[in-house]
Structures are given as C-alpha cells and as structure tokens.
C-alpha cells in the first residue's frame, strides 16, 4: 500500500510539473500590457487575413484571406487573394482570385517578381485534409491561374517562400496526421515539423526537428532562410546552399509564438506573433472571444546578436490572433488568423 501511494504521488507530481511546463512554455503566465507605436489609421473589413506580402517596389500588397471559423463550423466559404494599392489612401482591398473556380482556402503566400511588370504567386491551399500549392501569374492587379502542385510530402503545409521561378521552400507545421499525434506535438512541444524544398522537379526535406514550423522567408542579399518555430518561441536561421540544402546557423529567441515572417527593404524581419499560445488556442476553438496579438521587428546587429523591438502588443481588443506584419515604411499592416478585420497603423517614425 505504501508503494502504491508513493507511485500515485509521483504520478501526481509529474502531472503537475507537466501542466506547469506546458503553461509556462506557451506563454500562459505572460502579462499583456497593450502598447502601440503609432495610431490606427484604418481598419479593413476582411476576415482571416492570415498572410500578406508587399511588392518589392512598395506599390501594392497581396493578402491571403479565408473564413476559418466558418470552415471549423462545417460551413466553409470560398477564400481569396486580395490586392491593395499602397499608393492610394484610404486603402481598399480588391478580390483578384474570383476566376479561380476550384475550392480555395488560402494560407501562406509568396510573391516573386520576374521582371518590371510580371510576378509569380504561390499559395498554400487547404481543402479538408487535402493540401496543395496553387501557382498564379500576376500582372498589375490581374491574377491568372497556372497550375496546382500536390505531393504526399505536403503533410500539413503552412507557409511558403519562392527563391526562383521554379524553386521554393515550404513548412510543414505538423509531422503526424492523426489527432493524437497532433496533440502531442502541440502540448508536449515535440520537435517533429520540417522544411521541404522543391527544386523544380521533386520535393525533398532540407530541415527538421522543429516544434511547429510556421512562417518562412528568404533574405536574398544575405542568402539566409528564416523559419518560425512557433511552439519553441524561436526563429531559426539557415544558410542556403547552391543545391537548396540548408545549414543551420543559429536560433533567435523571441519569447513569443512567432508566426509569419516578412522582410523589409533593409533586411529587417517583421513578424506577427501569439504571446500566449493557450489563449490563441482557446480563441481558435471558440472558447474565448479574443486572443492577444504581438508584432516583432528583428534587426541584425552582429554575429549571434539581433535587436528585437515590439511595435505592437495588444490584449485582443483591437487585434486578435495576429499572424503577420508588413510595412511599407509609413504604415504597419497587421493581419490575423480569424479576426473579421485587419489593422493599418500609421507609424510614429516613417522608416524601416
């Protein structure tokens, strides 16, 4: 009987330790003191503006939008890609994927400029448990469907970044398909997610051992690839080899659940983040009506040293579940996973 009591006591202690670890490692105990550099200039009514990217010339922005709440409730609605002119205020969004007749629930996007007027766009698409990458050409605000890419290695694709016209990387945020495996990855923080590379002919794994691989982007000038490991609160940095393989360089500890990564013209990283993953999960499961948001700006200082600024921290009243942040210098655009709108913030200092 004594040994049984000792065993049960040990199990209880381990359970409590696990609960405390999970809450601490997901930001549950973090205090959210709302803060904003600048002021809200505009609020655009667009549901689930989960990812956005600004053209290299700063003239326009593309936005990936999907009503994820409707999908979770069994009433999916057609998602879309929206175009926004950044040279015309007040800002307005325009649906440009209306001619795409397949079921469309866009997630991560990547835009690559081919010449002075032509772009190519890659979009992660989720239709129930099936995943694909939809490829489009873009000229002005006209979007034309090119092809659909599918592969068994698209286990749970999240974000994508193109490096050449026929080469790109994407993240799988989970390794396991069954719900039990997904729960273990989320609550135990199992580092099983990966990065895949497409060389124009085939898909190959080039990085693994991440806890929820999420946003991904490439700094062409330094030839570095940045990957958000949401569950670990890290941005992982890799050197890109000529054959597409990656060499791990270092981790950037962000102390928040980093999501999509955008890169400004000076090489600064702008990241939408979830300061409390537990709060975000409750919000995504309709158990709470809001979730905190955070935006990071990460600037390279020297080897193994980055400057991390926080231009936005919100308790969810203005922006719930921020997933992406992008800037044209003058404005900061903050998108979310499930909110019915996204914010445009007039920055205090009009610079990158």
């Amino acid at each position: 009987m004594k040994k049984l009591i000792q065993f049960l006591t040990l199990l209880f202690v381990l359970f409590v330790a696990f609960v405390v670890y999970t809450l601490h490692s997901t930001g549950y105990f973090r205090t959210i003191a709302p803060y904003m550099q600048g002021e809200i200039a505009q609020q655009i009514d667009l549901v689930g503006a989960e990812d956005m990217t600004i053209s290299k010339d700063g003239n326009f922005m593309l936005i990936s939008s999907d009503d994820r709440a409707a999908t979770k409730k069994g009433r999916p609605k057609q998602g879309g890609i929206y175009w926004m002119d950044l040279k015309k205020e007040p800002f307005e969004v325009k649906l440009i994927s209306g001619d795409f007749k397949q079921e469309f629930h866009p997630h991560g996007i990547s835009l690559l400029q081919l010449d002075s007027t032509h772009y190519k766009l890659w979009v992660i698409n989720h239709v129930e448990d099936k995943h694909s990458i939809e490829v489009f050409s873009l000229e002005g605000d006209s979007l034309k469907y090119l092809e659909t890419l599918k592969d068994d290695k698209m286990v749970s694709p999240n974000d994508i970044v193109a490096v050449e016209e026929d080469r790109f990387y994407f993240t799988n945020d989970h390794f396991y398909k069954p719900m039990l495996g997904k729960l273990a990855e989320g609550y135990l923080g199992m580092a099983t997610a990966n990065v895949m590379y497409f060389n124009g002919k085939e898909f190959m794994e080039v990085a693994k051992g991440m806890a929820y691989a999420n946003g991904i982007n490439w700094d062409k000038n330094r030839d570095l690839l940045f990957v958000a490991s949401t569950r670990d609160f890290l941005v992982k940095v890799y050197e890109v080899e000529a054959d597409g393989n990656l060499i791990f360089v270092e981790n950037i500890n962000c102390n928040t659940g980093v999501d999509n990564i955008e890169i400004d013209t000076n090489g600064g990283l702008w990241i939408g983040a979830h300061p409390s993953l537990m709060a975000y999960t409750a919000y995504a499961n309709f158990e709470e009506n809001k979730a905190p948001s955070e935006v990071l700006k990460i600037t390279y200082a020297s080897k193994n040293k980055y400057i991390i600024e926080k231009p936005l921290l919100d308790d969810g009243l203005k922006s719930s579940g921020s997933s992406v942040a992008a800037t044209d210098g003058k404005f900061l655009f903050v998108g979310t996973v499930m909110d019915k709108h996204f914010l445009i913030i007039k920055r205090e200092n009009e610079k990158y």
Side-chain angles (χ1 to χ4, degrees), residues 302-339:
S302 59
K303 187 175 181 180
N304 303 119
K305 185 177 180 180
Y306 292 82
I307 299 171
I308 300 180
E309 301 173 70
K310 301 175 181 179
L312 174 69
L313 180 62
D314 187 68
D315 57 8
L317 290 177
K318 295 182 178 66
S319 176
S320 274
S322 57
S323 57
V324 64
T327 184
D328 64 350
K330 182 178 180 180
F331 294 97
L332 175 64
F333 307 91
V334 183
T336 69
V337 181
M338 292 173 58
D339 242 359

Side-chain angles (χ1 to χ4, degrees), residues 7 85 94 96 131 169 231 305 321:
F7 176 70
D85 187 347
K94 173 185 176 181
I96 60 173
H131 312 288
Y169 296 88
R231 183 62 176 79
K305 185 177 180 180

Side-chain angles (χ1 to χ4, degrees), residues 129 131 155-156 174 176-187:
D129 291 330
H131 312 288
V155 178
S156 184
H174 285 82
Y176 295 104
K177 291 184 178 181
M179 183 55 65
L180 185 61
K182 290 183 177 180
L183 289 174
E185 288 177 298
Y187 289 98

Side-chain angles (χ1 to χ4, degrees), residues 45-323:
D45 292 331
L46 187 64
V47 65
E50 195 274 342
D51 199 8
M52 50 183 61
T53 189
I54 295 175
S55 62
K56 294 301 181 184
D57 58 14
N59 287 332
F60 68 90
M61 181 169 75
L62 294 185
I63 306 153
S64 168
S65 166
D66 189 42
D67 191 339
R68 293 168 184 82
T71 298
K72 286 192 173 189
K73 293 176 181 178
R75 302 189 297 270
K77 300 177 181 179
Q78 186 78 339
I81 300 299
Y82 288 78
W83 187 86
M84 189 165 78
D85 187 347
L86 296 182
K87 300 303 180 182
K88 183 180 179 181
E89 299 176 38
F91 298 110
E92 296 180 352
V93 294
K94 173 185 176 181
L95 177 67
I96 60 173
S97 61
D99 292 336
F100 185 68
K101 301 306 181 184
Q102 300 177 40
E103 190 171 352
F104 197 33
H105 300 288
H107 198 167
I109 61 176
S110 181
L111 183 68
L112 184 69
Q113 186 168 2
L114 304 180
D115 56 41
S116 59
T117 59
H118 293 83
Y119 294 80
K120 196 170 181 179
L121 176 70
W122 290 258
V123 184
I124 301 288
N125 186 20
H126 304 293
V127 180
E128 296 181 345
D129 291 330
K130 299 177 182 178
H131 312 288
S132 62
I133 295 172
E134 312 297 344
V135 188
F136 302 86
S137 65
L138 177 70
E139 184 173 357
D141 61 357
S142 179
L143 196 66
K144 180 182 178 182
Y145 167 72
L146 296 178
E147 63 176 330
T148 296
L149 300 175
K150 295 182 179 180
D151 194 274
D152 290 340
K153 297 182 180 68
M154 295 181 193
V155 178
S156 184
N158 187 306
D159 197 18
I160 187 168
V161 61
V163 293
E164 286 186 5
E165 187 173 357
D166 60 350
R167 299 192 303 120
F168 58 81
Y169 296 88
F170 74 87
T171 56
N172 278 311
D173 54 37
H174 285 82
F175 174 79
Y176 295 104
K177 291 184 178 181
M179 183 55 65
L180 185 61
K182 290 183 177 180
L183 289 174
E185 288 177 298
Y187 289 98
L188 297 178
M190 293 174 59
T192 52
N194 64 9
V195 175
M196 302 298 302
Y197 172 66
F198 182 66
N199 61 11
K201 297 180 179 180
E202 60 183 355
F203 292 88
M204 52 188 281
E205 182 183 68
V206 289
K208 59 182 180 179
M210 302 174 193
Y212 202 104
N214 198 330
I216 186 170
N217 216 323
W218 175 56
D219 184 336
K220 182 178 180 179
N221 294 329
R222 291 186 288 161
D223 206 15
L224 293 176
L225 194 78
F226 298 90
V227 182
S229 178
T230 306
R231 183 62 176 79
D232 277 341
F233 289 4
L234 300 174
V235 170
K236 306 182 80 68
V237 187
Y238 297 88
E239 289 181 355
V240 178
E241 296 190 296
D243 61 0
N245 278 301
L246 302 177
I247 299 176
F248 175 73
V249 177
E250 59 188 334
N251 288 322
I252 305 174
N253 190 352
C254 299
N255 296 309
T256 190
V258 284
D259 203 314
N260 288 314
I261 303 170
E262 290 299 304
I263 301 179
D264 66 33
T265 57
N266 291 332
L269 309 183
W270 291 81
I271 304 175
H274 311 283
S276 172
L277 295 180
M278 296 293 281
Y280 169 73
T281 299
Y283 169 69
N285 291 330
F286 314 114
E287 296 165 5
E288 298 290 344
N289 59 11
K290 63 184 178 70
S293 293
E294 188 167 24
V295 170
L296 302 185
K297 179 191 177 185
I298 302 179
T299 306
Y300 177 78
S302 59
K303 187 175 181 180
N304 303 119
K305 185 177 180 180
Y306 292 82
I307 299 171
I308 300 180
E309 301 173 70
K310 301 175 181 179
L312 174 69
L313 180 62
D314 187 68
D315 57 8
L317 290 177
K318 295 182 178 66
S319 176
S320 274
S322 57
S323 57

